[in-house]
């Protein structure tokens, strides 16, 4: 197998070399017939407010009469020459944007496409933490959602055959109320909305609505808003916020649970993928980055990451003994007590919930 791989590598190198020679020959003879963007290259990052160069290799396929440039289907500028131009990012939301060049000539038209990512200009504020208090936590709970309301923790536990919704006494870790999900469901994020609890499932595209006091299931709903999975939930007082493991946060109507908007989450270096458990705290979105010791603080209007919390070392490194358990039972759980402004965090099957204080 290794020998075969080496042969393939040599073939690939030869192919690349021949291609480069042919391209060079074409350029030297000015006989290039294809068209493509020389800049931006697909997925290029541009800081918000900055201009970016648009340069096209027009080739010799046909005469160019005019070029119309569009960003996200909106016409930006039209040119009758083939010179490079600069386009502005001012007014563009953070995230990915589609760039189209419509080339007209000899009664024909040709579309070229590329995309750019508009990024925040400021790097996130870096935070560490101080543990204020530790609270007992049930180690059977594969935590997918955690919230604090009226003196109690409300918790969604995952895994097939073990998923549940729980009400927990913070002082003892004792489960006061519990309802189990059917074995075909993998419980994920949950949030409290007025007198109801909303819970989603991982890959079943099904959500549940419960009475907050009795845990009686009131209804079910399905979601298909451009996402295949359910991960985290929180409520900002007006909308339900939902993640699916990408860098997108979806906004759902609190009554119909239908998508009404979304933001893409970026820091000054690129997209922040694997957004998981959520909490809405003092006008900002706090999100676990799955499989890491990081919580990011997000501007809900722009999607910009304004802060990054490093929680490395919160759980003793030797608590889980094998690599599978360490990789599986990661940080995941954020809760906030609005009345006393206490911040709580935990992880999957962790023995404690930690009240922490952030430090710049």
């Amino acid at each position: 197998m290794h020998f075969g791989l080496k042969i393939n590598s040599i073939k690939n190198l030869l192919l690349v070399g021949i291609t480069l020679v042919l391209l060079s020959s074409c350029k030297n003879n000015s006989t290039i017939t294809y068209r493509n963007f020389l800049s931006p290259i697909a997925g290029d990052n541009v800081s918000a407010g900055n201009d970016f160069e648009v340069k096209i290799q027009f080739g010799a396929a046909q005469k160019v009469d005019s070029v119309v440039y569009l960003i996200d289907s909106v016409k930006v500028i039209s040119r009758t020459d083939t010179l490079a131009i600069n386009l502005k990012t001012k007014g563009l939301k953070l995230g990915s944007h589609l760039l189209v060049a419509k080339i007209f000539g000899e009664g024909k038209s040709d579309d070229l496409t590329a995309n750019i990512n508009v990024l925040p200009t400021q790097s996130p504020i870096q935070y560490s933490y101080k543990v204020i208090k530790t609270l007992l936590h049930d180690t059977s709970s594969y935590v997918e959602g955690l919230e604090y309301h009226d003196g109690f923790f409300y918790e969604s536990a995952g895994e097939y055959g073990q998923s549940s919704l729980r009400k927990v006494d913070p002082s003892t870790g004792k489960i006061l109320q519990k309802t189990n999900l059917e074995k075909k469901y993998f419980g994920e994020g949950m949030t409290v909305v007025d007198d109801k609890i909303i819970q989603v499932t991982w890959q079943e595209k099904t959500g549940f609505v419960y009475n907050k006091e009795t845990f009686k299931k009131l209804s079910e709903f399905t979601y298909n808003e451009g996402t295949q999975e359910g991960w985290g939930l929180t409520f900002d007082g007006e909308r339900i916020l939902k993640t699916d493991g990408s860098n997108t946060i979806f906004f759902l109507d609190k009554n119909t649970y239908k998508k009404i908007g979304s933001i893409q989450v970026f820091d000054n270096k690129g997209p922040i993928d694997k957004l998981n458990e959520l909490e809405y705290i003092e006008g900002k979105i706090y999100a676990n980055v799955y499989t890491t010791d990081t919580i990011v603080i997000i501007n809900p209007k722009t999607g910009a990451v304004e802060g990054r919390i490093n929680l490395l070392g919160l759980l003793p490194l030797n608590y889980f003994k094998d690599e599978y358990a360490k990789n599986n039972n990661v940080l995941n759980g954020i809760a906030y007590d609005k009345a006393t402004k206490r911040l709580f965090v935990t992880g999957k099957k962790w023995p404690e919930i930690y009240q922490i204080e952030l430090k710049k």
Side-chain angles (χ1 to χ4, degrees), residues 249-312:
I249 295 178
F250 299 89
F251 299 125
L252 311 183
D253 183 275
K254 71 172 187 175
N255 297 310
T256 66
Y257 317 114
K258 301 296 184 182
K259 177 187 171 183
I260 55 175
S262 65
I263 54 172
Q264 298 178 67
V265 178
F266 288 78
D267 66 10
N268 62 315
K269 295 181 180 179
I272 306 298
D273 293 313
K274 295 185 179 180
L275 297 175
N276 197 5
E277 221 273 292
L278 300 171
E279 186 75 7
Y280 190 76
I281 301 176
E282 305 295 337
K284 305 294 181 183
I285 304 169
Y286 285 54
N288 279 123
V289 181
Y290 186 52
T291 72
T292 76
D293 295 300
T294 298
I295 291 174
V296 289
I297 303 172
I298 304 161
N299 184 313
K301 293 182 180 179
T302 66
V305 175
E306 298 180 343
R308 182 180 289 269
I309 309 168
N310 183 353
L311 292 169
L312 182 66

Side-chain angles (χ1 to χ4, degrees), residues 129 131 292-294 310-318 331 350 354:
Y129 66 93
V131 175
T292 76
D293 295 300
T294 298
N310 183 353
L311 292 169
L312 182 66
L314 185 60
L315 181 74
L317 294 177
N318 62 350
L331 177 78
W350 285 19
Y354 299 88

Side-chain angles (χ1 to χ4, degrees), residues 100-118:
V100 177
K102 298 182 75 69
I103 305 169
F104 298 92
E106 299 179 2
K108 301 177 182 179
S109 66
D110 189 17
D111 287 3
L112 297 181
T113 61
N115 72 291
I116 60 166
N117 294 320
V118 178

Side-chain angles (χ1 to χ4, degrees), residues 20-31:
L20 289 174
V21 170
L22 289 174
L23 287 177
S24 177
S25 175
C26 286
K27 288 180 181 179
N28 291 337
N29 294 321
S30 301
T31 57

